[in-house]
Amino acid sequence: ADVSLIRDQLPIVLISDQIDGPYCRQLHRPTIVLPRFLLDGDRDDLRNVLLHEIEHLRTNHPLQLFMQQLVQVLCWFHPMVWSVGWRAELTREFVCDDAAAESGTNIAGYLRTLLHIAERCERAGHASAIRFGRARSEIVIRAQRLVKLAKDPVLGQNHRMLGRRAATALLLATTCLLS
């Protein structure tokens, strides 16, 4: 992955025993926080997670998420804000799933990584810790999408282009709802 595209800075990678799933933030300096178990496990899982999180940073998803949450706080009463927010979160995950699955690995390997982490979180009783979202079905939606893309590579190329455009459109729609 081209990590040089992240604000001309290499991300800081932190390791924690206190988290169950990876995440990234981008306040002052791009940072990826990984649970320790990823370092002790399969190297492909670690690689896939890093590619996914780097894509979040490269595409400024932490900033988009902050803006989305700001809109949701200000317009908490509007059901469309919550619906658009959920779709925006899912679209951001699709974009990063695509980047991780394309970068020298295959879709099946990336899907195994998602399932390994989900299984670990489930065993620990922290199924939502990986930030698969508020609903447990989000991991199912992502997995079904990856399987569909694996079956039809042409469809996958169209989805990737549409996903990037959709993420931008959903962010603009959320901003318009605020105004």
Side-chain angles (χ1 to χ4, degrees):
D2 187 5
V3 294
S4 64
L5 297 176
I6 306 170
R7 291 191 193 172
D8 299 324
Q9 294 180 342
L10 288 175
I12 297 170
V13 177
L14 303 175
I15 309 301
S16 174
D17 292 320
Q18 299 175 349
I19 63 170
D20 292 312
Y23 68 93
C24 63
R25 59 179 185 235
Q26 198 168 8
L27 202 55
H28 299 295
R29 182 143 186 216
T31 304
I32 298 172
V33 183
L34 299 173
R36 182 165 307 282
F37 75 84
L38 279 174
L39 296 179
D40 301 330
D42 186 330
R43 291 291 166 210
D44 286 337
D45 287 351
L46 177 61
R47 183 177 186 281
N48 288 334
V49 167
L50 284 171
L51 289 170
H52 181 96
E53 296 304 323
I54 286 169
E55 185 67 11
H56 275 306
L57 293 171
R58 193 184 68 72
T59 54
N60 292 315
H61 287 168
L63 177 62
Q64 293 174 17
L65 181 60
F66 172 77
M67 296 303 291
Q68 173 188 325
Q69 290 174 337
L70 181 64
V71 169
Q72 287 174 327
V73 165
L74 295 173
C75 299
W76 59 269
F77 53 87
H78 200 299
M80 235 2 229
V81 169
W82 294 99
S83 177
V84 168
W86 181 78
R87 290 296 305 168
E89 285 179 29
L90 200 54
T91 301
R92 284 191 294 268
E93 292 303 321
F94 289 167
V95 168
C96 296
D97 288 347
D98 290 349
E102 280 179 8
S103 300
T105 62
N106 58 34
I107 291 176
Y110 180 69
L111 187 53
R112 271 192 301 278
T113 296
L114 288 179
L115 296 176
H116 287 158
I117 296 170
E119 179 183 47
R120 180 175 172 87
C121 291
E122 182 70 28
R123 273 186 281 144
H126 303 104
S128 65
I130 191 166
R131 282 290 290 144
F132 281 138
R134 285 176 253 118
R136 290 180 91 135
S137 62
E138 286 184 32
I139 184 65
V140 174
I141 293 168
R142 288 171 64 188
Q144 288 172 335
R145 180 180 170 278
L146 287 168
V147 168
K148 188 183 296 185
L149 294 180
K151 288 180 180 177
D152 189 353
V154 174
L155 178 67
Q157 291 173 348
N158 293 339
H159 270 279
R160 281 186 281 285
M161 190 59 113
L162 181 61
R164 290 183 179 101
R165 289 181 182 152
T168 302
L170 285 170
L171 182 61
L172 290 173
T174 305
T175 304
C176 289
L177 283 173
L178 176 63
S179 64

